[in-house]
Amino acid sequence: MRLFVRSLLLLFAGAVFFALAGLVAVWAPDKSLEELKVRWAQAPSQFLAVDGLQVHVRDEGPRDDPQPLVLIHGTSDSLHTWDAWTAALQPERRVIRFDLPGFGLTGPRPDNDYSIQRYVAFTGALLDRLGVQRCVLIGNSLGGQIAWASALAMPQRVQKLVLVDAGGYALEPQDVPLAFRLAQNRSARWLLAYLLPRGLVQNSVRNVYGDPTKVTPELVDRYYDMALRSGNRQALGYRIDLVRADSSQSIKRLTQPTLVLWGALDRLIPVQSGQRFVHDIAGARLVVFEGLGHVPHEEDPVQTVREVQRFLGMGLAN
């Protein structure tokens, strides 16, 4: 009997040990802005006071550009997603990119308002802060929705649009990254505020790539660190909780010259949405990239940026 009890105690102790070891392995406390700046806010990064926030901004290229290019990233992303496009564009054009409130190094809003209307107002305030009177807005996913909504709200300021796998129509995903699915569940969301396996982030990034083998450890590091920025996990929950209204009727009012770029293998916002954009926006042109997913500008920047350069009448990258 004693041997049996001893065996049970040993089994219980072993189970507790491995449970604690597993917990330690996935324990992921928030990281401070100062800690993250060391790797992710090197020059030319700057932090500007806009709308009550210290906004992470990079502003590169010739200052005499009459229509700077303003690049807006998507959900759970950061301005770094545009690194390769910026390198190709900034020799000829002024390129402005920033971390949206709730994401990247900018971090959460005190009022937890992540509505499209608030993002549009924020974009206008940032352009005011930088003295930009006219611009070209370029956006991916959530950033694409902010771009076209800003074009409707500020038609004299937004001269052209580039929409990259943009949001706007009723979402009918073929697949959703696991991290997003967990964030939709309030109980799981509570756990994610303290536990965030790096593998979960890796699988979610691989999910939005057409070719998952292109997802490098360095890329996962970036997405993982941005998720751990203090307050960002809670901000994602507030953003996901928002009711998404069908905005397709307002899209039809856009008049700016528009280029629509889409990854053929986008399972989060399938290419049918890209086809709807060109149907609803007079004169818009759609380019679909075979083999690419939801972030084609990041997955194959060389091929995708050429279309932007053609659209803008620039010299083509080598």
Side-chain angles (χ1 to χ4, degrees):
M1 184 66 178
R2 288 181 179 177
L3 180 61
F4 176 73
V5 172
R6 187 178 299 174
S7 298
L8 284 179
L9 289 174
L10 286 173
L11 285 172
F12 177 74
V16 170
F17 172 81
F18 284 110
L20 289 174
L23 184 63
V24 170
V26 298
W27 181 257
D30 285 344
K31 291 189 176 184
S32 70
L33 174 60
E34 294 307 315
E35 180 182 359
L36 294 170
K37 277 183 177 179
V38 175
R39 181 173 184 182
W40 303 111
Q42 298 295 320
S45 284
Q46 56 183 314
F47 288 81
L48 300 178
V50 180
D51 199 18
L53 298 166
Q54 288 295 314
V55 181
H56 182 211
V57 178
R58 290 188 179 177
D59 185 353
E60 302 164 79
R63 287 299 183 272
D64 60 352
D65 187 343
Q67 294 182 19
L69 313 180
V70 180
L71 281 53
I72 311 176
H73 66 76
T75 299
S76 295
D77 212 331
S78 66
L79 59 76
H80 304 89
T81 192
W82 304 109
D83 281 352
W85 271 26
T86 300
L89 296 169
Q90 64 91 16
E92 294 184 51
R93 302 297 298 269
R94 182 181 177 188
V95 181
I96 299 166
R97 49 196 170 126
F98 54 91
D99 288 347
L100 288 166
F103 306 111
L105 299 184
T106 295
R109 296 190 60 91
D111 60 6
N112 298 317
D113 184 351
Y114 301 104
S115 63
I116 294 298
Q117 293 79 6
R118 193 59 184 266
Y119 276 128
V120 169
F122 167 83
T123 301
L126 178 64
L127 295 177
D128 289 342
R129 178 72 170 77
L130 294 170
V132 174
Q133 300 304 313
R134 291 179 176 80
C135 65
V136 177
L137 287 187
I138 300 173
N140 169 237
S141 193
L142 168 63
Q145 185 169 3
I146 296 168
W148 66 253
S150 297
L152 284 175
M154 302 176 282
Q156 300 305 314
R157 176 172 260 177
V158 181
Q159 302 296 296
K160 294 181 180 179
L161 281 172
V162 179
L163 305 179
V164 185
D165 296 66
Y169 297 99
L171 195 60
E172 297 179 359
Q174 297 170 354
D175 194 11
V176 176
L178 179 57
F180 285 6
R181 279 183 274 149
L182 290 173
Q184 292 170 345
N185 182 290
R186 297 203 174 194
S187 298
R189 187 188 304 170
W190 183 87
L191 287 174
L192 288 177
Y194 303 96
L195 312 175
L196 186 62
R198 190 175 185 279
L200 173 64
V201 175
Q202 175 178 280
N203 289 340
S204 295
V205 178
R206 288 170 63 89
N207 181 271
V208 297
Y209 265 57
D211 181 359
T213 65
K214 292 182 179 179
V215 176
T216 65
E218 293 75 20
L219 186 65
V220 177
D221 283 349
R222 191 190 88 212
Y223 279 96
Y224 187 61
D225 276 355
M226 295 303 144
L228 294 181
R229 197 273 194 215
S230 180
N232 279 359
R233 282 178 280 188
Q234 291 80 5
L236 177 61
Y238 284 113
R239 172 65 195 155
I240 285 178
D241 281 345
L242 290 176
V243 175
R244 307 300 204 276
D246 184 358
S247 52
S248 57
Q249 292 305 309
S250 59
I251 291 171
K252 295 177 181 179
R253 295 191 283 109
L254 289 164
T255 59
Q256 289 88 347
T258 302
L259 173 66
V260 181
L261 305 180
W262 225 271
L265 299 183
D266 188 345
R267 295 177 293 172
L268 181 60
I269 308 181
V271 71
Q272 287 79 8
S273 284
Q275 295 163 349
R276 291 188 67 182
F277 273 114
V278 296
H279 177 270
D280 288 344
I281 304 174
R285 184 170 70 92
L286 172 65
V287 180
V288 178
F289 300 98
E290 298 300 325
L292 302 184
H294 185 62
V295 284
H297 61 286
E298 185 176 282
E299 189 171 358
D300 189 344
V302 173
Q303 180 185 187
T304 52
V305 79
R306 284 177 180 151
E307 295 297 333
V308 178
Q309 290 170 314
R310 290 190 182 97
F311 176 66
L312 298 175
M314 297 173 59
L316 296 180
N318 293 328

